């Protein structure tokens, strides 16, 4: 998987196309038919050169619109956030601990930290099992088993996030409250990370677990594609030296597929980072920096979704929420740029 | 004449299609045995049966026996990694592993845990890498950039690197599947020279679609025709006095 494919994959994904892999395949598979009667676009009949020119301009204009959407949105958010940025410096907003709109205190720190906590815990739970699953599907499963399992796993990607949220409330939250939290405080309580006082179950861990399940199908299907794209000759080169299957996977296949596997993780991370509904339903929504995975958190996405449109008479509240949206956008952007930079370097040194 | 590999009633199937039909052949120890025959006759299939690499392809079934020094490599208790360590393979196209030149050569030794033994006696892994790069005729070209990625080498150099990599696990038998088909004439000649030198100590089995190459290299010839073994024997006899009509036809260019 070269850097261009990874970039296509990323951009298709970021643009919200759920079946981005199918799209990528279509792009490479569909060839114009050259036999039989050709179907023509019902266009007015002017000269074909003119037609070419018009088509080119039309498509160029559409492309430009699409390309400008994101910068324009960022600009709009910035303009709407300006009132609060005039009153409070950005550094104070980013580091401020207190969120008290009525007193005019808008500290984003708990929300930014909360976003990272939930996403981080989710990725820690999601990445190891999804990679092992991808390796199993690509390297161990026989074709028939693979063609049975992959659609089942892909089903997970089609479930609406609100359903995940309800599943979280009904299953994960009680499980954490009754089983995970008491167990962890008894056996791992020496570590602050696992300490819990009076847990409700609505916690960073609940958000992370729900996110992990949502991210599984993305990481699995992209990583599986990438691993299967490693040439068979390379595997045979290693096997022919007397390497075991696992040695071949570890030293050769994963090394070759490394950049692509990282891209799979990045895609999963981007998905998790911006996920709103399922997370806000289970994460507790308390504007305090969490100290343990059993503490509630309040991610940026949940802050915006819960409050925008309400209590708008409070001065600067609107600007503060749009500033939060701007911060979220910039964080995702920074993350994408950083990961692309890493990926292109990895591909180059492959 | 010592027999290194004895093939007994070997059949191979791709799904329902039978690619090898009851092959019976002996490969003598030492020297170069060349498997010839028209394309699609099962040469590569036969070769890849000899180190059990064929079974890595989906939908393949192999029956029969391949005795390596008298022991069946298809026996239930046979260890496939050991078989492949003893019987190395040089593929038609070079596939350098995604690592440095040095690591490519030392890879086989590292996965077999030979490296730990060698660490104790100082820099002997370095010496091994040099020894096998020299044996493959590549040392002088790469000695100053051993830690560069192997993918930066030319195709001809990559193929010699693959040869060095195969030799580094010290196989008793080296299988070569059209080892020069992807190479320019000069690189091909170099590979041939190295194989000739090697055959003094190692049993070399080559699949070739080039009769000229077979004439140049072979001590012993196996002739396959549509999945059947037609005849096998010393090279001189095969080229001067073939017993079978089909061999004669192939040698004189009437078929294949």
């Amino acid at each position: 998987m070269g850097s261009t494919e990874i970039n296509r994959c990323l951009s298709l994904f970021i643009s919200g196309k759920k079946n981005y892999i199918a799209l990528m395949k279509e792009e490479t598979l569909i060839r114009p038919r050259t036999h039989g009667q050709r179907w023509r676009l019902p266009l007015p009949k002017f000269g074909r050169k003119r037609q070419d020119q018009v088509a080119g301009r039309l498509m160029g204009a559409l492309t430009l619109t699409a390309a400008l959407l994101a910068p324009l949105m960022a600009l709009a958010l910035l303009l709407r956030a300006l009132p609060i940025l005039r009153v409070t410096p950005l550094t104070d907003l980013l580091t401020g601990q207190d969120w008290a709109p009525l007193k005019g205190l808008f500290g984003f720190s708990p929300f930014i930290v909360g976003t990272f906590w939930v996403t981080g815990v989710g990725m820690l739970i999601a990445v190891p099992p999804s990679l092992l699953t991808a390796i199993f599907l690509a390297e161990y499963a026989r074709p028939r088993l693979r063609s049975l399992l992959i659609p089942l796993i892909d089903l997970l990607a089609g479930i609406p996030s609100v359903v995940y949220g309800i599943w979280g409330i009904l299953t994960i939250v009680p499980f954490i409250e009754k089983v995970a939290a008491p167990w962890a405080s008894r056996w791992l309580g020496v570590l602050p990370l696992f300490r819990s006082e009076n847990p409700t179950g609505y916690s960073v861990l609940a958000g992370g677990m729900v996110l992990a399940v949502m991210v599984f199908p993305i990481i699995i299907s992209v990583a599986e594609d990438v691993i299967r794209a490693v040439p068979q000759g390379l595997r045979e080169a290693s096997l022919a030296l007397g390497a075991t299957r696992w040695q071949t996977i570890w030293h050769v296949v994963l090394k070759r597929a490394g950049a692509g596997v990282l891209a799979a993780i990045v895609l999963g991370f981007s998905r998790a980072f911006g996920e709103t509904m399922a997370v806000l339903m289970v994460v507790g929504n308390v504007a305090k920096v969490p100290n343990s995975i059993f503490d509630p958190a309040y991610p940026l996405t949940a802050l915006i979704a819960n409050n925008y449109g309400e209590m708008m008479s409070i001065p600067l509240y609107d600007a503060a929420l749009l500033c939060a949206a701007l911060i979220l956008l910039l964080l995702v952007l920074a993350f994408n740029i950083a990961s692309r930079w890493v990926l292109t370097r990895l591909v180059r040194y492959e | 004449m010592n027999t290194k590999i004895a093939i007994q009633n070997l059949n191979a199937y791709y799904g329902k299609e039978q690619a090898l039909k009851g092959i019976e052949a002996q490969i003598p120890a030492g020297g170069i045995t060349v498997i010839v025959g028209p394309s699609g006759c099962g040469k590569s299939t036969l070769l890849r049966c000899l180190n059990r690499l064929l079974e890595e392809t989906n939908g393949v079934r192999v029956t029969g026996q391949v005795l390596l020094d008298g022991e069946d490599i298809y026996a239930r208790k046979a260890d496939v990694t050991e078989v492949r360590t003893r019987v190395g393979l040089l593929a038609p196209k070079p596939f350098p592993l995604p690592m440095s030149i040095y690591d490519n050569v030392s890879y086989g030794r590292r996965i077999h845990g030979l490296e730990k033994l060698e660490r104790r006696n100082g820099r002997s892994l370095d010496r091994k890498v040099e020894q096998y790069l020299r044996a493959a005729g590549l040392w002088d070209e790469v000695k100053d950039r051993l830690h560069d990625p192997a993918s930066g080498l030319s195709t001809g150099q990559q193929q010699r690197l693959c040869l060095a990599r195969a030799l580094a696990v010290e196989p008793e038998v080296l299988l070569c599947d059209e080892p020069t088909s992807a190479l320019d004439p000069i690189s091909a000649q170099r590979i041939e020279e190295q194989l000739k030198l090697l055959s003094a100590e190692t049993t070399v089995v080559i699949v070739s679609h080039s009769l000229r190459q077979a004439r140049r290299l072979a001590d012993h010839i196996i002739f396959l025709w549509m999945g059947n073994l037609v005849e096998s024997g010393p090279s001189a006899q095969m080229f001067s006095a073939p017993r079978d009509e089909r061999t004669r036809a192939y040698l004189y260019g009437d078929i294949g």
Side-chain angles (χ1 to χ4, degrees):
Chain A
M1 193 159 180
S3 69
T4 46
E5 279 121 311
I6 293 165
N7 284 340
R8 289 247 4 99
C9 208
L10 272 172
S11 53
L12 278 172
F13 175 78
I14 289 157
S15 61
K17 305 258 170 59
K18 280 226 172 97
N19 50 348
Y20 46 92
I21 292 173
L23 280 171
M24 278 184 65
K25 281 181 186 154
E26 269 169 33
E27 280 185 357
T28 54
L29 287 179
I30 293 179
R31 299 267 182 282
R33 283 196 192 174
T34 48
H35 61 279
Q37 195 171 8
R38 261 193 292 162
W39 180 84
R40 282 175 190 280
L41 257 173
L43 284 175
K45 286 204 171 173
F46 38 68
R48 59 193 190 101
K49 287 192 178 161
R50 178 90 187 121
Q51 190 183 329
D52 191 27
Q53 206 176 21
V54 170
R57 283 194 188 153
L58 180 70
M59 292 186 285
L62 285 171
T63 312
L64 194 66
T65 316
L68 282 179
L69 267 176
L72 284 175
M73 274 164 101
L75 188 66
L77 284 175
L78 180 66
L79 290 177
R80 296 285 298 271
L82 269 182
I84 192 161
L85 290 171
R86 286 217 185 87
V87 182
T88 327
L90 186 63
T91 46
D92 287 8
L93 286 174
L94 289 177
T95 56
Q97 298 282 335
D98 298 310
W99 180 261
L102 285 168
K103 293 183 204 154
L105 290 172
F106 299 100
F108 289 127
S109 173
F111 306 99
I112 296 171
V113 177
T115 294
F116 278 105
W117 265 81
V118 176
T119 315
V121 168
M123 292 309 284
L124 279 180
I125 299 172
V127 168
S130 0
L131 289 189
L132 293 176
T133 306
I135 292 172
F136 174 79
L137 288 172
E139 298 287 323
Y140 288 90
R142 285 174 182 279
R144 196 175 296 173
L145 183 64
R146 186 191 301 140
S147 60
L148 195 75
L149 289 178
I150 287 179
L152 281 174
I153 291 171
D154 283 347
L155 272 182
L156 283 177
I159 298 176
S161 64
V162 67
V163 176
Y164 277 109
I166 289 174
W167 170 70
I169 292 173
L170 294 178
T171 315
I172 302 284
V173 169
F175 168 77
I176 290 172
E177 183 192 359
K178 302 226 166 65
V179 184
W183 186 87
S185 330
R186 183 182 305 161
W187 299 106
L188 304 166
V190 278
L191 301 168
L193 189 62
F194 296 108
R195 206 165 288 158
S196 59
E197 287 128 19
N198 195 20
T200 59
Y202 290 91
S203 56
V204 171
L205 183 61
M209 283 170 82
V210 170
L211 274 186
V213 178
M214 296 180 73
V215 162
F216 277 149
I218 294 165
I219 302 185
I220 290 172
S221 65
V222 177
E224 195 256 352
D225 262 24
V226 166
I227 292 171
R228 278 221 280 155
V230 172
Q232 182 63 15
L234 206 55
R235 284 186 193 90
E236 289 181 355
S238 167
L239 292 170
L241 292 166
T244 61
R245 189 97 66 105
W246 178 250
Q247 282 173 326
T248 302
I249 292 168
W250 187 250
H251 294 293
V252 177
V253 176
L254 287 184
K255 200 157 178 183
R256 174 68 180 261
V261 169
L262 196 71
I265 296 172
V266 167
L267 283 176
F269 189 95
S270 318
R271 174 90 169 92
F273 204 81
E275 175 51 39
T276 308
M277 183 49 77
V279 173
L280 80 82
M281 288 170 79
V282 299
V283 83
N285 300 333
V286 175
K288 220 181 116 226
V289 173
N291 290 315
S292 133
I293 56 170
F294 298 110
D295 286 347
Y298 206 161
L300 277 170
T301 46
L303 170 76
I304 302 162
N306 275 338
N307 297 302
Y308 196 81
E310 289 173 25
M311 301 187 288
M312 280 312 187
S313 53
I314 300 169
L316 293 178
Y317 200 53
D318 168 82
L321 289 179
L322 289 167
C323 186
L326 183 65
I327 291 168
L328 188 68
L329 190 71
L330 292 180
L331 281 176
V332 173
L333 199 67
F335 180 75
N336 274 317
I337 291 170
S339 56
R340 274 182 203 206
W341 185 78
V342 171
L343 282 174
T344 46
R345 287 178 70 89
L346 268 180
V347 172
R348 199 175 307 153
Y349 291 115
E350 203 164 59
Chain B
M1 185 178 77
N2 273 334
T3 300
K4 184 70 186 174
I5 298 176
I7 302 162
Q8 294 177 348
N9 190 24
L10 188 72
N11 298 285
Y13 305 84
Y14 293 100
K16 280 181 184 144
E17 193 192 334
Q18 187 168 7
L20 292 179
K21 298 164 188 164
I23 304 288
E24 302 268 351
Q26 265 95 45
I27 293 170
I32 298 182
T33 301
V34 180
I35 305 175
V36 294
S39 65
C41 70
K43 300 188 295 286
S44 296
T45 305
L46 176 60
L47 193 79
R48 287 153 63 86
C49 282
L50 302 183
N51 71 343
R52 293 189 57 179
L53 201 63
L54 191 68
E55 64 204 45
E56 297 299 329
T57 314
N58 273 323
V60 163
R61 198 160 57 86
V62 178
T63 66
Q65 292 185 314
V66 175
L67 306 183
L68 177 64
D69 289 336
E71 281 183 51
D72 184 12
I73 63 170
Y74 282 96
R76 197 170 286 271
K77 65 175 167 49
D79 176 3
V80 66
T81 59
E82 193 209 313
V83 169
R84 290 178 188 154
T85 313
R86 292 173 63 191
V87 183
L89 176 80
L90 185 61
K93 273 200 301 180
F95 277 102
L97 302 174
M99 43 186 91
S100 70
I101 295 167
Y102 183 98
D103 287 341
N104 258 278
V105 181
S106 63
Y107 177 75
R109 304 188 76 80
R110 281 185 288 132
I111 56 172
H112 290 297
L114 296 171
E115 187 198 24
K116 280 181 196 122
L117 301 173
E118 281 159 359
R119 276 252 173 82
R120 261 180 247 145
N121 7 335
R123 305 175 58 78
S124 79
L125 186 62
D126 290 0
R127 277 208 299 278
K128 289 283 183 197
V129 168
E130 178 178 346
Q131 176 190 338
Y132 292 111
L133 282 171
R134 280 187 191 282
L138 189 62
W139 174 254
D140 290 330
E141 291 158 63
V142 300
K143 64 184 178 212
D144 300 322
R145 46 169 173 156
L146 287 174
H147 296 283
D148 290 0
S151 50
L153 297 174
S154 75
T155 313
Q157 289 172 326
Q158 287 182 2
Q159 189 67 331
R160 278 178 282 150
L161 180 68
C162 291
L163 179 60
R165 183 176 70 194
L167 295 178
V169 291
E170 293 166 8
E172 301 160 29
V173 180
L174 183 67
L175 310 174
C176 308
D177 190 355
E178 302 194 356
T180 59
S181 62
L183 302 184
D184 61 281
I186 292 175
S187 303
Q189 196 189 344
R190 290 190 144 174
I191 290 273
E192 284 187 12
E193 282 164 10
Q194 302 305 331
L195 291 177
K196 264 252 186 267
L197 289 174
L198 266 172
S199 66
E201 301 154 17
T202 312
T203 306
V204 178
V205 185
I206 301 175
V207 159
S208 180
H209 55 209
S210 153
L211 278 174
R212 283 196 209 171
Q213 188 176 48
R215 238 183 248 270
R216 281 196 299 271
L217 296 177
D219 300 309
H220 199 82
I221 296 260
I222 293 176
F223 178 51
L224 288 185
W225 167 257
M226 295 175 71
N228 292 297
L229 182 120
V230 174
E231 85 177 273
S232 70
S235 160
Q237 182 214 316
M238 289 279 284
F239 279 109
S240 57
R243 285 189 300 265
D244 194 284
E245 195 48 47
R246 286 168 295 182
T247 320
R248 196 191 311 276
Y250 182 67
L251 291 179
Y252 295 116
D254 294 344
I255 56 172

